[in-house]
């Protein structure tokens, strides 16, 4: 039997001040670590491979192990949060993340480091999969948009700062410090969270271990397929991964159809408002990832920029998100999310289209402006869309909503990376095709966002 009640008393509408601020401090500290650990390892891969005597090809598992673990567990940990309590699952995830960071710090081989990163990904999945639900119960419903906007601001700043922080740490010391710095921040987040995070009512139902296992296999196999296709042509290995993903996904969906509160939240996906929001999120994140992956190659091969110049120009995108996201978080309290998100995605599409058509003679200022507009457009979309995905789901399904929010983001980012790899193999890195594709995806996402105006 499913029940939204438990022994804990129901919460009021959000947390009172100053407890709300302490709760968000805990959430933000954890998200900063999880986001930074996605990007800093990329920068350090050459150094790690040399230090551990590994090949560049095998060192990619330092990144892949972390990402695979996250995508495997996002929806299962979200379901666990609904059953066991969000704060409890979140705290366990933080402990695991800190412990795995210590293991990464003292890794003596690539195998050890990859295994520790896999465990670290489990902790990150709990952080990312529960994050949205905690924000929902931390802020009053009337101010949820600005809470989500500030959350997006923190994520954008972390993403923008990741490469610079990694470069500074590597310049001052060993790559091991990239993981060691997680320990004090993780422990601080845990201590604050245990005292301040909300304790929403739990659901009385059994955890669906069968669906959790099938979901882990499905998403891990599909991620492996996407990663394989992104780095090489379709092969027997990638075909096997696709077959395994489909083979596990079919019974997973059959089980979900027969359940009231399924681990794969078909109950939320079938809702027109939420279904369109998930679709818009996947398409928008795919467009954004296409731009982020393509820009370094395009700027160096087509515009003749060096690494530093390219990095400076690309930073305009996350900075644009950081500027627009909190503003959009406030605007969504007065403007329909479908309209605001649609406008933002049209700006994103026009900016990517402008980059595709822009001649090298246009100059750096015009290019940086276009890249910054991509970020502003995405920021105008992200906060209102996240507000819809979290605020429109039933309160007792906040865990599933948070899990789907993170899953949509990762699916979009993976699709974007695969699309870039395919275009590069066909047309090379100097082509403007990826930006035209990103612009097209942005327009389709805008249509999905605007469609929510009729769904409300």
């Amino acid at each position: 039997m499913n029940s939204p009640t438990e022994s804990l008393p129901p919460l009021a509408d959000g947390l009172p001040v100053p407890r709300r601020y302490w709760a968000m401090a805990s959430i933000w500290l954890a998200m900063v670590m999880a986001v930074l650990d996605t990007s800093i390892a990329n920068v350090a891969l050459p150094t790690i491979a040399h230090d551990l005597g590994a090949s560049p090809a095998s060192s990619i598992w330092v990144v892949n192990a972390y990402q695979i673990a996250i995508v495997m567990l996002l929806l299962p940990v979200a379901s666990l949060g609904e059953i066991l309590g969000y704060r409890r699952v979140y705290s366990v995830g933080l402990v695991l993340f800190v412990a795995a960071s210590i293991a990464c710090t003292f890794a003596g081989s690539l195998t050890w480091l990859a295994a520790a990163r896999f465990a670290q990904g489990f902790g990150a999945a709990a952080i990312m999969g529960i994050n949205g639900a905690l924000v929902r119960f931390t802020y009053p419903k009337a101010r949820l948009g600005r809470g989500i906007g500030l959350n997006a601001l923190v994520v954008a700043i972390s993403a923008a700062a990741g490469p610079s922080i990694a470069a500074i740490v590597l310049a001052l010391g060993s790559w091991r410090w990239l993981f060691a710095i997680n320990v004090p921040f993780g422990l601080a987040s845990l201590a604050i969270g245990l005292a301040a995070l909300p304790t929403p009512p739990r659901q009385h139902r059994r955890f669906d271990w069968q669906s959790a296992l099938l979901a882990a296999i499905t998403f891990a196999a599909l991620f492996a397929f996407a990663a394989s296709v992104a780095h090489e042509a379709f092969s027997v290995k990638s075909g096997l991964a696709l077959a395994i993903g489909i083979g596990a996904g079919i019974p997973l969906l059959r089980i979900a159809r027969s359940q009231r509160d399924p681990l794969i939240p078909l109950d939320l996906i079938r809702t027109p408002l939420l279904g369109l929001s998930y679709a818009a999120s996947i398409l928008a994140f795919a467009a954004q990832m296409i731009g982020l992956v393509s820009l370094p190659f395009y700027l160096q091969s087509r515009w003749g920029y060096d690494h530093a110049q390219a990095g400076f120009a690309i930073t305009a995108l996350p900075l644009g998100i950081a500027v627009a996201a909190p503003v959009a978080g406030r605007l969504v309290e007065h403007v329909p999310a479908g309209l605001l998100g649609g406008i933002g995605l049209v700006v994103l599409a026009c900016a990517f289209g402008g980059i595709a058509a822009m001649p090298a003679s246009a100059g750096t200022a015009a290019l940086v402006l276009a890249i910054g507009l991509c970020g502003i457009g995405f920021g105008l979309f992200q906060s209102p869309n996240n507000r819809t995905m979290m605020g429109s789901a039933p309160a007792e399904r906040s865990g599933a909503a948070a899990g789907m929010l993170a899953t949509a983001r990762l699916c979009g980012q993976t699709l974007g990376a695969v699309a870039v790899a395919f275009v590069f193999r066909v047309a090379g890195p100097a082509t403007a095709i990826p930006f035209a594709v990103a612009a097209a995806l942005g327009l389709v996402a805008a249509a999905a966002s605007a469609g929510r105006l009729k769904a409300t």
Side-chain angles (χ1 to χ4, degrees), residues 24-97:
M24 291 308 298
S26 173
I27 292 170
W28 289 340
L29 277 173
M31 279 300 293
V32 166
M33 291 190 306
V35 172
L36 283 178
D37 269 53
T38 301
S39 59
I40 59 176
N42 291 329
V43 178
L45 277 184
T47 304
I48 292 173
H50 179 269
D51 190 39
L52 297 180
S55 67
S58 60
S59 68
I60 195 66
W61 279 102
V62 174
V63 176
N64 284 350
Y66 184 73
Q67 293 176 324
I68 289 176
I70 292 174
V71 77
M72 285 174 62
L73 286 192
L74 274 177
L75 292 177
V77 297
S79 180
L80 273 177
E82 291 180 347
I83 297 169
L84 300 180
Y86 300 121
R87 185 169 69 172
R88 183 177 302 173
V89 174
Y90 193 76
S91 299
V92 171
L94 272 172
V95 170
L96 180 56
F97 191 91

Side-chain angles (χ1 to χ4, degrees), residues 327-333 335-346 377 379-381 383-384 449 452-453:
V327 175
R330 289 179 175 269
L331 285 176
V332 75
E333 297 170 4
V335 180
L339 176 60
L340 190 57
I343 292 172
L345 288 170
V346 169
L380 288 174
F381 160 77
S383 295
S449 180
R452 294 179 294 175
L453 295 171

Side-chain angles (χ1 to χ4, degrees), residues 128-448:
M128 295 180 179
I130 301 295
N131 173 272
L134 289 175
V135 173
R136 177 176 187 173
F137 288 107
T138 296
Y139 272 84
K141 186 174 182 179
R143 297 193 174 188
L144 180 58
R146 66 186 66 185
I148 289 177
L150 290 172
N151 207 48
L153 169 63
V154 170
V155 171
I157 292 176
S158 301
S164 299
I165 291 175
I168 293 171
V169 171
L170 291 174
L172 297 177
S174 168
W175 58 266
R176 299 177 187 276
W177 285 104
L178 294 172
F179 302 108
I181 58 177
N182 288 329
V183 177
F185 290 106
L187 292 177
S189 176
L190 179 64
I192 297 171
L194 289 174
L197 288 175
T199 53
R202 297 180 297 184
Q203 290 194 39
H204 286 299
R205 71 171 193 266
R206 291 182 178 180
F207 181 67
D208 187 354
W209 290 100
Q210 183 181 13
S211 291
L213 178 60
L214 288 172
I217 294 173
T218 298
F219 284 105
L222 293 179
F223 181 90
F225 164 73
S228 177
V229 171
H231 292 96
E232 59 187 9
F234 189 86
S235 63
V236 174
K237 181 176 67 174
S238 56
L240 178 61
L242 179 61
I244 292 174
I246 294 175
I250 291 174
L252 175 64
L253 292 176
R254 286 176 179 170
I255 294 173
R257 290 193 187 100
S258 64
Q259 295 177 329
R260 175 184 169 187
D261 297 318
L263 187 142
I264 300 295
L266 294 183
D267 54 325
L268 302 182
I269 296 171
R270 288 169 178 159
T271 304
L273 178 62
L274 290 173
L276 287 169
S277 298
Y278 299 142
S281 183
I282 292 172
L283 293 168
F285 272 103
Q288 184 206 41
M289 180 57 66
I290 288 173
L292 286 174
V293 174
S294 301
L295 275 170
F297 297 94
Y298 187 70
L299 295 180
Q300 293 178 50
S301 60
R302 180 76 177 270
W303 286 64
Y305 282 18
D306 59 27
H307 292 286
Q309 291 172 321
F312 167 77
I314 295 169
T315 303
L317 197 152
L319 288 180
I321 298 175
V323 169
V327 175
R330 289 179 175 269
L331 285 176
V332 75
E333 297 170 4
H334 310 286
V335 180
L339 176 60
L340 190 57
I343 292 172
L345 288 170
V346 169
V347 172
L348 174 82
C350 291
F352 274 132
I355 294 173
M358 189 178 297
S361 59
T364 299
L367 177 65
V368 172
L369 176 61
I371 295 174
L373 284 174
C374 291
I376 290 173
F378 189 84
L380 288 174
F381 160 77
Q382 184 183 18
S383 295
N385 195 61
N386 288 357
R387 166 68 173 80
T388 299
M389 287 191 286
M390 288 306 309
S392 299
E396 65 272 15
R397 294 290 280 158
S398 294
M404 276 301 299
L405 186 154
T407 300
R409 179 181 70 247
L410 287 176
C411 287
Q413 291 171 339
T414 302
L415 288 174
V418 171
V420 172
F422 176 78
V423 172
F424 279 4
R425 281 203 302 270
V426 173
T431 179
I433 293 175
F435 305 106
V437 174
L441 289 176
L443 291 176
V444 177

